[in-house]
């Protein structure tokens, strides 16, 4: 599949329709986000491991809103871009999406039910009917005290690196409530229990697009996606709202409508 | 629009995480974790995430400064360098080479450390070169070199997660080495047993199977106690002892006195807990010892380290993966600074200065006409003492801040102010630079190329991401310029790559390390003697560096200053996660400063109640050296009658209080124990 | 269970409806337990999730939110927002081991003093049965 993508990227760049393509490149034996230009060696283009390229797109757009580029886009990247666009963080008109479908290995790693974007031309076979197991394992069967013990063991490992927030494509507030001394006493390790993680989980309600980068960025190995996925399911259950699937709808938590 | 990612190594702690710097149009914008980095695996701590902040701080030094009539004025590089070269030559002529002291930096690159000691030995011609390892792991370098023949971490950081038992002492790992803390958590997930021996209830204590809270400074006692139990219960590894060690009988005889009862008397550790911990460690298949400042920063630091070595050898936990004795080096490049000879007793590669063969080798390689002195030079604290006494006339300090990091700061100020000439090369006007005659602006890790060596002997590339800010110059360039202006020939390097090549020729441990291999492999762990060698993951396989591991029978000695009637509390100092050492970089990072804007003293709730102190109230903490005012943080983390102060904050500097008593061999100060008293101020 | 323990309930009451209702209960000498610490807010939707979470972290055994009946909000639609927030938050605290019953949202008008007193009595009993908030012990451990 990498070959097909490389060919597509070269075509786009050579045609002049696109000034640059945000992709991933093999450099120094590791994969890194890279801005491909016409004449660059596309044989170095890689597709994994996944980096949140939507965030790179947002940063580039912020640095120069007139810049037109294309972007390697998986399902989660597209969901992130849609939600960012709704919040005026990016203008999707200037960006061309090169749709990439995730293979089964990647989809199962992220426990992703929709591992492909919605654009017309997707490279790779979109796994439309993927049977994922129950992502919650034993968790849902636990009693309330058992749940408390489970999270206690996890949250008390936290060392407030803010990595989950920093890597999240959806987190871009200039002033973050997690840094507000009113809710969380400053400098305490572990952070006041369970304030940090509850605020994060609540703020992600209707925002989380399920990419799983937060959990991968946690040095303490806290299973953050378990909580975020539960809230994402709740948003569907309570309000029939799934973040990242519709370019027009608004998070019900922001609106005045009754439910 | 230009966008690129530059893979570089973190400038904060010794974990050695590599990550990407996202550079947009020549400006470093943000940090992006590298998922394929072997240490960090795409995760970072709060300091790593905010590593760019301080680089662009408003008060970065951007031009050289010369002090005239007590005030600094800007100067050009030519003027400043000419002045420094002239004064150095003058002072060398007038007072001799040994009137000079040079402090290299555990923060700067290997290449810069190599050049600093080369400058000291070939241009000034003195062995008075040292750096802040003196204040942290000097005990380790001396102790493990004596026991095993090599003073470095025996195993590698990633191996920790596969140990069956991890014994952590004197290391607040989740705060000080977060990405090694991650491995400990993972090991626990995999079923490993965690033994923690630390007076404070640090974050790890929740996750440990046994937590022993010893009185500060009683480490030799409890380790000897454990060895006593292990021998008595037949848990010692006879085969390993017979085949791979020497001097066991002396140790066996001496530990007979260290019964669990006696150890309880000395250290306060309940005897049953000690026995359980000993059993847990000795019966594990692969057991790893992790330690840091709690072991090294004592007047018995070297003894403490030797005891750790004893413990690992008794149980055969050496020379195989996920075992060993693992000192966690604090600074990003303190391992490198030691490796590259920025020490008064060794050349690069730990080749002793007292050995005429090595002296000749370096004199020849460096094209020297003068002879390198055959005596061991002065260490950091000794330099300050000699400066105060008037014997040391000149100090050249690079990337170090003794005015915050050394013990007994009042004395340090007296010493530095007494010098005839002080040159400080740094990125900010630190508390030490304020006292200088000439200040030279160096560059940060983002603005130069080079290598850092992480705590597990891992040499990794630092890559230039942006141009130097203002007129600052990479430190290696500044050193070369001064050397050239003093007439020296061996300082013509087009780039750090060539410096590394020279290092490889003279340093067997780094023999196979060059930039091409580092680009290809990502890292190389020494010993790496030639370019075919893949690097060494763990040391002392089959045999120790010195051949047989040596048991040292060390007796317990109490700390230099214990609490008494006048000063009834034990003061212990240390670090916290959010700040790094003297705070030069972290206190200029918005997010880090936001979380912890100033220091505090941890005090037990019962003690606080006795003294009538409430949480947050300012109190006065005083010792025989001085007094500071600092807010109280009432917490059960500290045991009764013990207080803890982090040393990062100039306005409540813990080192005003600390005791400059030194370990006789390693010359490391006893930062971890002294006597203090607490008084409420009523604010 | 400590027989000495009395629940500490933080009550955020909206100025226009519930607070007035509580006031009415008071002036009419209706009995309800003293366990509730009242904080008056102009509208129940003033409360963000952080405040509720902080109340629990600080040691509240329960958090009660009193707002206007749907359609009666003084600011037209504030209470709709409150309901949505609390719906999500109730489930969320349940996932981390805090019983969802500890977070309670009720619509009580200015005329419903009786309703207010009754709700307080019920809530207090319910929390007495649940016991102290599990966060209190964790906070104790973390001193």
């Amino acid at each position: 599949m990498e070959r097909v993508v490389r060919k597509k990227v070269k075509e786009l760049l050579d045609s002049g329709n696109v000034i640059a393509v945000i992709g991933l490149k093999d450099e120094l034996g590791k994969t890194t986000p890279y801005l491909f230009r016409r004449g660059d060696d596309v044989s170095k283009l890689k597709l994994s491991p996944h980096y949140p390229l939507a965030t790179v797109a947002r940063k580039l757009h912020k640095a120069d809103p007139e810049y037109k580029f294309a972007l390697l886009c998986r399902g989660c990247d597209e969901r992130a871009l849609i939600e960012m666009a709704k919040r005026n963080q990016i203008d999707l008109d200037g960006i061309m999406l090169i749709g990439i479908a995730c293979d089964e290995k990647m989809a199962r790693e992220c426990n992703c039910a929709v591992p492909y974007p919605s654009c017309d031309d997707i490279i790779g076979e979109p796994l439309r009917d993927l049977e994922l197991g129950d992502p919650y394992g034993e968790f849902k069967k636990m009693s309330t005290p058992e749940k408390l013990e489970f999270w206690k063991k996890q949250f008390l490992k936290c060392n407030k690196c803010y990595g989950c927030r920093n890597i999240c494509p959806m987190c871009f507030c200039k002033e973050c409530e997690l840094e507000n001394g009113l809710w969380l006493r400053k400098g305490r390790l572990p952070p006041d229990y369970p304030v940090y993680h509850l605020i994060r989980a609540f703020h992600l309600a209707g925002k989380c697009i399920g990419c799983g980068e937060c959990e991968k960025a946690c040095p303490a190995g806290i299973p953050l996606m378990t909580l975020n996925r539960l809230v994402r399911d709740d948003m569907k259950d309570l309000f029939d709202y799934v973040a990242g699937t519709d370019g027009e709808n608004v998070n019900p938590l922001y609106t005045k409508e009754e439910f | 629009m230009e966008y690129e990612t530059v893979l570089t190594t973190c400038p904060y702690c010794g974990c050695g995480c590599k990550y990407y710097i996202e550079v947009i149009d020549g400006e470093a914008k943000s940090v992006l974790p590298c998922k394929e980095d072997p240490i960090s695996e795409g995760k970072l701590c709060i300091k790593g995430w905010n590593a760019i902040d301080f680089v662009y701080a408003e008060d970065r030094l951007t031009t050289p400064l010369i002090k005239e009539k007590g005030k600094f004025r800007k100067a050009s590089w030519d003027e400043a360098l000419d002045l420094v070269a002239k004064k150095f030559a003058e002072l060398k002529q007038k007072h001799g080479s040994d009137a000079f002291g040079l402090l290299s930096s555990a923060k700067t690159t290997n290449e810069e450390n190599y050049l600093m000691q080369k400058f000291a030995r070939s241009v000034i011609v003195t062995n008075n070169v040292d750096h802040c390892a003196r204040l942290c792991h000097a005990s380790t370098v001396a102790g493990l070199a004596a026991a095993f023949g090599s003073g470095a971490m025996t195993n590698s950081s990633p191996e920790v997660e596969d140990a069956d038992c991890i014994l952590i002492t004197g290391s607040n790992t989740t705060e000080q080495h977060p990405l090694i803390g991650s491995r400990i958590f993972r090991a626990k997930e995999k079923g490993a047993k965690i033994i923690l021996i630390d007076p404070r209830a640090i974050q790890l204590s929740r996750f440990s199977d046994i937590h022993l809270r010893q009185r500060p400074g009683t480490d030799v006692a409890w380790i000897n106690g454990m060895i006593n139990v292990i021998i008595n219960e037949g848990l010692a590894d006879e085969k390993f002892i017979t085949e791979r060690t020497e001097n066991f009988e002396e140790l066996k005889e001496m530990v007979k006195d260290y019964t669990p009862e006696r150890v309880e008397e000395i250290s306060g550790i309940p005897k049953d807990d000690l026995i359980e911990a000993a059993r847990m460690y000795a019966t594990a298949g692969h057991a790893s010892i992790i330690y840091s400042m709690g072991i090294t920063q004592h007047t018995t630091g070297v003894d403490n380290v030797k005891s750790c070595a004893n413990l690992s050898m008794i149980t055969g936990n050496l020379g195989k993966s996920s075992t060993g004795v693992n000192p966690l080096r604090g600074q990003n490049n303190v391992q490198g600074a030691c490796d590259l000879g920025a020490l008064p007793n060794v050349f690069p590669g730990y080749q002793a200065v007292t050995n005429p063969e090595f002296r000749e080798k370096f004199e020849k390689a460096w094209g020297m006409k003068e002879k390198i002195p055959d005596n061991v030079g002065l260490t950091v604290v000794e330099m300050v003492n000699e400066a105060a006494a008037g014997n040391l006339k000149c100090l050249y300090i690079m990337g170090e801040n003794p005015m915050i990091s050394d013990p007994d700061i009042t004395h340090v100020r007296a010493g530095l102010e007494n010098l005839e000439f002080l040159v400080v090369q740094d990125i900010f006007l630190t508390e030490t630079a304020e006292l200088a005659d000439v200040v030279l602006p160096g560059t940060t890790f983002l603005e130069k190329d080079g290598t850092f060596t992480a705590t597990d002997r891992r040499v990794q590339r630092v890559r230039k991401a942006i141009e130097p800010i203002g007129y600052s110059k990479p430190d290696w360039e500044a050193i070369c310029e001064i050397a050239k202006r003093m007439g020296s020939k061996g300082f013509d390097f087009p780039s750090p790559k060539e410096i590394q090549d020279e290092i490889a020729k003279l340093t067997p441990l780094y023999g196979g390390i060059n930039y091409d291999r580092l680009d290809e492999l990502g890292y190389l762990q020494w010993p790496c003697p030639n370019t075919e060698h893949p690097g060494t993951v763990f040391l002392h396989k089959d045999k120790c560096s010195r051949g047989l591991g040596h048991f040292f029978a060390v007796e317990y000695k109490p700390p230099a200053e214990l609490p008494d009637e006048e000063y009834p509390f034990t003061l212990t100092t240390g670090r916290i996660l959010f700040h790094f050492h003297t705070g030069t970089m972290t206190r200029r990072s918005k997010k880090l400063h936001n979380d912890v804007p100033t220091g505090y003293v941890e005090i037990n709730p019962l003690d606080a109640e006795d003294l009538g102190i409430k949480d947050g109230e300012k109190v006065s903490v005083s010792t025989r050296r001085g007094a500071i005012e600092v807010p109280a943080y009432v917490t059960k983390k500290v045991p009764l009658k013990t207080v803890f102060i982090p040393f990062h904050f100039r306005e409540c500097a813990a080192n005003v209080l600390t005791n400059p008593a030194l370990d006789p061999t390693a010359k490391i100060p006893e930062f971890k124990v002294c006597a203090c008293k607490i008084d409420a101020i009523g604010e | 269970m400590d027989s000495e323990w009395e629940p500490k309930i933080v009550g955020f009451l909206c100025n226009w409806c519930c607070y007035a209702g509580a006031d009415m209960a008071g002036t009419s000498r209706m009995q309800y337990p003293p366990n509730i610490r009242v904080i008056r807010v102009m509208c129940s939707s003033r409360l963000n999730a952080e405040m509720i979470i902080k109340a629990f972290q600080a040691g509240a055994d329960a958090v009660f939110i009193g707002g206007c009946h749907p359609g009666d909000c003084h600011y037209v639609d504030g209470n709709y927002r409150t309901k949505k927030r609390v719906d999500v938050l109730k489930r969320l605290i349940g996932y981390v081991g805090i019983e969802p019953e500890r977070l309670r949202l009720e619509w009580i008008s200015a005329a419903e003093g009786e309703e207010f007193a009754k709700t307080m009595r019920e809530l207090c009993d319910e929390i007495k049965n649940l016991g102290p908030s599990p966060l209190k012990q964790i906070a104790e451990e973390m001193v």
Side-chain angles (χ1 to χ4, degrees):
Chain A
M1 186 160 92
E2 265 171 5
R3 250 184 322 121
V4 181
V5 178
R6 285 175 192 152
K7 191 154 163 275
K8 174 87 187 259
V9 168
K10 185 156 176 19
E11 268 167 27
L12 272 175
L13 287 171
D14 284 343
S15 73
N17 288 339
V18 150
I19 312 178
V21 177
I22 302 176
L24 296 170
K25 179 178 171 217
D26 175 32
E27 202 177 278
L28 299 169
K30 297 184 177 41
T31 306
T32 180
Y34 185 78
L35 206 55
F36 287 92
R37 311 284 169 119
R38 186 200 285 198
D40 272 341
D41 181 6
V42 293
S43 70
K44 295 251 167 212
L45 187 145
K46 299 277 297 285
L47 289 179
S48 63
H50 177 257
Y51 276 89
L53 294 180
T55 313
V56 178
R58 189 185 78 228
K59 286 185 181 147
L60 289 184
H61 180 82
K62 187 158 172 223
D64 182 359
E66 305 298 313
Y67 200 67
K68 304 269 177 272
F69 50 86
L71 164 73
L72 288 192
C73 184
R74 292 181 182 274
C76 50
D77 296 311
E78 189 195 35
R79 293 198 292 275
L81 287 170
I82 288 175
E83 287 299 315
M84 283 181 198
K86 281 198 268 190
R87 291 169 174 78
N88 296 319
Q89 295 299 311
I90 200 168
D91 179 6
L92 288 178
D93 284 337
I95 305 175
M96 179 183 197
L97 302 183
I98 303 174
I100 313 265
C102 296
D103 61 31
E104 191 167 341
K105 180 163 166 283
M106 279 181 97
R108 287 199 186 280
E109 231 172 67
C110 296
N111 237 297
C112 185
V114 190
Y116 51 88
S118 69
C119 29
D120 298 316
D121 258 326
I122 304 181
I123 301 177
E125 198 53 55
L127 297 163
R128 295 192 193 276
D129 299 300
L130 191 61
E131 275 293 317
L132 291 168
D134 176 15
Y136 299 111
E138 289 299 308
F139 184 78
K140 280 200 167 156
K141 300 186 201 137
M142 289 187 205
S143 66
T144 305
E146 283 173 339
K147 286 186 180 137
L148 183 84
E149 274 313 305
F150 176 85
W151 288 112
K152 199 172 145 186
K153 280 210 243 332
Q154 298 297 337
F155 291 158
L156 292 179
K157 290 190 280 183
C158 175
N159 77 353
K160 235 180 163 188
C161 68
Y162 295 97
C164 48
R165 176 206 62 186
N166 292 344
I167 200 80
C168 177
M170 298 313 304
C171 273
F172 38 72
C173 290
K174 288 207 176 80
E175 282 172 28
C176 179
E177 287 302 334
L178 296 172
E179 290 167 2
N180 188 337
L182 283 177
W183 320 127
L184 272 167
R185 282 180 302 177
K186 294 190 180 182
R188 300 275 161 134
L189 284 179
D192 283 336
Y193 189 95
V195 182
Y196 182 98
H197 297 96
L198 278 188
I199 291 182
R200 185 116 224 292
F202 185 85
H203 279 210
L204 283 176
K207 234 174 147 189
C208 174
I209 42 113
C211 67
E213 288 296 322
C214 50
E215 193 171 300
K216 292 182 201 148
C218 178
I222 300 172
L224 297 167
M225 279 313 285
T226 305
L227 205 53
N228 293 338
R229 196 172 278 124
L230 283 164
V231 176
R232 196 165 150 77
D233 288 348
D234 278 345
M235 290 303 287
K236 175 122 182 44
D237 186 41
L238 290 168
F239 311 118
D240 199 24
Y241 184 81
V242 180
T245 51
D246 183 322
E248 299 291 321
N249 63 5
V250 182
N251 185 342
L253 290 175
Y254 302 165
T255 68
K256 58 184 180 159
E257 267 70 49
E258 189 180 8
F259 254 93
Chain B
M1 164 137 72
E2 297 299 317
Y3 170 85
E4 64 164 337
T5 59
V6 180
L7 183 64
T8 189
T9 309
C10 188
Y12 278 118
C13 86
C15 285
C17 302
K18 295 204 293 292
Y19 43 76
Y20 293 108
I21 305 290
E22 286 180 301
V23 182
I24 298 182
D25 292 330
E27 201 182 320
K29 287 289 189 194
S30 48
V31 166
L32 180 69
C34 173
K35 295 193 183 200
E36 293 158 298
D37 174 54
I39 298 288
S40 66
E41 299 181 325
K43 307 159 207 289
L44 295 174
C45 79
I46 192 175
K47 295 195 292 284
W49 275 107
N50 291 295
I52 293 182
D53 260 12
F54 74 93
V55 174
Y56 290 106
E58 272 172 9
D59 57 344
R60 264 294 292 279
L61 286 174
T62 52
T63 68
L65 300 171
I66 296 182
K67 195 175 258 176
E68 254 159 34
K69 297 200 187 60
K71 288 176 74 110
F72 281 119
R73 65 161 175 89
K74 293 192 178 158
S76 68
W77 271 101
D78 277 328
E79 193 193 340
L81 290 168
D82 282 339
L83 175 60
V84 173
K86 188 166 105 97
K87 285 293 280 189
F88 278 179
E90 250 175 50
L91 289 167
K92 184 177 169 188
Q93 176 78 290
K94 195 164 152 202
H95 300 288
S97 304
D98 277 334
F100 279 77
L102 295 95
L103 288 188
S104 188
S105 175
K107 274 242 164 292
T108 58
T109 61
N110 287 328
E111 293 77 3
E112 287 160 345
N113 273 290
Y114 171 75
L115 287 181
M116 193 55 146
Q117 62 86 39
K118 182 176 179 181
F119 181 80
R121 289 175 167 127
S122 71
V123 180
I124 306 289
V125 193
T126 174
N127 282 320
N128 293 348
V129 61
D130 202 4
H131 66 280
C132 67
R134 190 63 43 198
L135 308 174
C136 73
H137 271 288
S139 323
T140 298
V141 177
L144 291 187
F148 301 147
S150 170
M153 184 164 165
T154 61
N155 291 62
S156 298
S157 311
E159 291 175 52
V160 170
E161 78 178 68
D162 291 314
D164 301 303
C165 173
I166 308 176
L167 189 151
I168 302 150
T169 177
S171 163
N172 188 352
T173 326
T174 56
E175 284 201 48
Q176 259 42 283
H177 293 87
L179 271 300
I180 297 182
S182 303
R183 305 284 177 169
I184 297 176
F185 286 140
R186 269 196 237 168
K188 193 168 164 76
E189 293 281 311
K190 293 185 190 179
K193 293 266 187 256
I194 313 289
I195 305 173
L196 175 67
I197 299 126
D198 193 307
R200 289 165 72 219
I202 54 178
Q203 192 177 17
L204 260 180
S205 61
R206 277 179 195 287
F207 299 93
S208 51
D209 295 281
I210 298 183
H211 178 198
L212 306 178
R213 299 179 77 163
Q214 84 281 30
R215 288 193 194 104
T218 56
D219 305 283
V220 170
W222 65 258
I223 299 180
N224 282 344
M226 277 187 143
I227 295 177
N228 171 302
V229 172
I230 291 172
I231 294 178
N232 285 346
E233 300 202 357
L235 296 172
D237 187 333
E238 303 288 337
K239 187 161 179 279
F240 188 90
I241 296 173
T242 324
E243 291 175 8
R244 294 203 43 181
T245 70
E246 62 190 17
N247 209 34
F248 175 61
E249 291 304 316
E250 204 187 309
L251 176 70
K252 184 170 169 189
E253 192 52 44
M254 184 210 68
V255 297
K256 286 195 179 135
D257 275 339
Y258 288 86
T259 59
E261 289 76 23
R262 178 163 176 240
V263 170
E264 184 170 346
E265 247 179 74
I266 298 174
S267 70
I269 297 175
K271 65 181 198 318
D272 291 327
D273 292 346
L274 183 76
I275 295 172
E276 199 192 332
R279 285 180 190 155
M280 196 178 267
Y281 176 77
T283 53
H286 289 77
S288 177
I289 298 177
I290 290 183
Y291 76 84
S292 193
M293 305 292 92
I295 285 287
T296 59
Q297 285 176 335
H298 292 273
T299 48
T300 55
V302 176
D303 285 348
N304 294 344
V305 172
K306 286 177 177 166
S307 301
C308 287
N310 288 347
L311 188 57
S312 79
M313 286 194 284
I314 283 272
T315 51
N317 278 306
L318 188 68
K320 45 183 189 170
S321 77
S322 305
T323 60
V325 181
N326 301 295
L328 301 184
R329 313 291 308 247
Q331 288 278 11
N332 56 313
N333 201 26
V334 64
Q335 183 66 50
C338 290
D339 295 343
L340 272 305
L343 293 169
N345 60 331
V346 291
F347 291 109
Y350 303 101
Q351 299 170 99
V353 298
T354 47
N355 185 326
E357 244 178 74
F358 294 138
R359 284 201 306 276
E360 228 183 277
K361 169 177 158 186
F362 282 95
E363 280 159 9
K364 207 151 150 242
W366 293 341
M368 287 175 67
K369 294 199 189 67
E370 295 177 73
K371 295 253 161 247
I372 298 175
D374 58 7
N375 61 318
V376 170
L378 296 169
T379 61
V380 160
V381 179
E382 286 173 328
M383 285 187 205
V384 165
N385 293 342
E386 290 300 306
N391 299 329
L392 203 76
K393 305 287 185 198
C394 175
L395 259 181
Y396 177 16
I397 301 180
M398 171 176 77
E400 294 266 308
N401 196 2
M403 277 297 291
I404 301 283
S405 56
D406 277 26
D408 195 2
I409 301 180
T410 323
H411 180 63
V412 175
R413 177 185 283 274
L416 295 181
E417 282 176 344
N418 203 26
L419 291 166
E420 268 195 49
F421 193 56
L422 174 61
V423 180
V424 175
Q425 192 170 304
D426 212 312
I427 54 176
F428 290 105
L429 198 68
T430 61
E431 292 78 4
T432 306
E434 280 169 7
L435 303 176
D437 296 294
V438 179
V439 176
L440 300 174
T443 56
T444 66
F445 77 118
L446 287 185
E447 300 154 277
K448 62 190 171 190
D449 283 310
T451 53
F452 289 152
T453 307
T455 182
D456 59 354
R457 296 166 279 106
R458 190 180 299 259
V459 182
Q460 300 182 115
R461 274 300 312 280
V462 175
R463 294 187 176 89
K464 184 172 168 183
I466 57 173
E467 290 303 314
I469 297 204
Y471 292 107
S472 62
K473 265 195 212 294
D475 297 76
W476 64 270
E477 280 185 36
I479 302 173
C480 287
E481 279 303 311
I482 300 175
K484 280 193 257 190
R485 283 158 209 250
M486 287 179 76
S488 179
K489 294 276 178 261
F491 289 84
D492 251 308
F493 296 99
S495 82
K497 188 173 198 279
E498 287 75 21
I499 306 175
Q500 184 64 235
D501 289 337
E502 182 173 312
I503 293 171
K505 282 204 207 81
L506 297 169
T507 317
L509 291 177
Y510 278 57
I513 298 181
N514 61 48
Y515 281 26
D516 290 326
R517 289 193 81 201
L518 288 176
D519 277 353
E520 194 198 319
L521 300 167
Y523 66 88
L524 277 166
Q525 287 175 273
W526 64 255
C528 180
N530 57 60
T531 51
E532 304 301 315
H533 197 281
T536 313
V537 177
F538 60 83
L539 302 175
H540 316 302
K541 188 168 187 226
D542 303 327
K543 67 177 173 69
C544 293
S545 303
R546 72 187 292 283
L548 293 175
H550 190 98
F551 282 109
F552 283 93
V554 286
E555 294 271 14
Y556 162 73
K557 290 187 210 68
E561 187 185 75
L562 283 172
D564 54 30
E565 257 199 63
E566 206 190 333
Y567 296 96
F569 279 79
T570 303
L571 169 69
T572 184
T573 61
R575 308 175 274 197
I576 60 175
L577 170 70
F578 295 92
H579 283 289
F580 199 78
H581 297 207
T582 69
T584 312
M585 292 151 65
T586 54
R587 296 192 80 189
R588 290 177 166 91
S589 293
K590 212 162 44 122
K591 304 249 182 219
L592 299 172
H593 177 76
N594 177 48
D595 245 299
V596 185
T598 189
Y600 51 82
V601 54
E602 283 179 1
I603 179 165
N604 187 287
L606 293 172
D607 289 326
E609 213 184 301
D610 270 346
L611 294 164
I613 294 171
K614 287 203 201 37
D615 189 42
E617 195 184 306
K618 242 191 184 168
V619 299
S620 163
V621 183
S622 48
T623 65
R624 292 182 169 88
R625 269 72 52 195
I628 60 172
E629 282 181 14
V630 57
Y633 167 17
V634 177
T635 170
K636 289 189 281 203
K637 256 159 81 177
V638 279
L640 282 174
K641 286 283 188 285
T642 305
V643 295
F644 170 87
I645 303 181
F647 79 101
H648 316 285
F649 308 96
R650 73 185 284 178
E651 67 274 18
C652 40
N655 280 324
V656 168
L657 309 171
T658 47
N659 188 357
L662 303 176
D663 175 293
T665 315
K667 312 286 168 89
I668 186 172
E670 188 146 61
F671 288 115
K672 288 297 179 196
V673 191
C674 72
C676 73
K677 66 181 164 97
I678 322 277
D679 294 301
I681 310 180
E683 264 171 47
Chain C
M1 208 179 331
D2 192 359
S3 58
E4 307 250 328
W5 166 74
E6 282 289 327
K8 226 182 252 183
I9 303 176
V10 174
F12 295 102
L13 311 186
C14 100
N15 177 66
W16 306 99
C17 295
C18 194
Y19 187 83
D23 203 40
M24 182 203 191
T27 53
S28 313
R29 300 284 188 268
M30 294 180 206
Q31 293 295 320
Y32 65 89
N35 304 69
I36 176 149
R37 308 328 200 229
V38 172
I39 299 174
R40 180 173 62 121
V41 290
M42 293 313 289
C43 177
S44 60
S45 67
R46 198 271 169 265
L47 292 172
N48 51 28
E50 289 88 329
M51 293 174 181
I52 300 168
I53 295 168
K54 174 73 180 174
F56 278 115
Q57 186 272 331
D61 295 300
V63 173
F64 174 81
I65 305 172
C68 305
H69 286 274
D72 294 347
C73 176
H74 189 83
Y75 305 99
V76 183
D77 45 48
N79 51 2
Y80 301 145
R81 298 168 190 268
T82 316
K83 172 101 184 18
K84 286 184 277 187
R85 265 172 227 164
V86 173
D87 279 345
V88 175
L89 202 50
K90 263 175 96 90
R91 293 194 185 192
L92 182 56
I93 63 174
Y95 297 141
V96 298
I98 304 168
E99 297 91 337
E101 295 75 41
R102 295 188 188 269
L103 176 58
R104 180 94 169 254
L105 173 65
E106 290 294 342
W107 309 130
I108 296 179
S109 78
E112 289 178 297
E114 179 72 62
E115 188 60 39
F116 179 78
K118 178 158 162 277
T119 309
M120 289 302 101
R121 288 195 292 270
E122 269 174 25
L123 182 59
C124 201
D125 280 339
E126 197 178 340
I127 302 302
K128 275 208 177 104
N129 278 333
L130 277 180
S133 159
L135 294 187
K136 290 214 312 237
Q137 212 223 338
I138 298 179
E140 249 313 296
E141 281 174 28
M142 282 173 67
V143 165

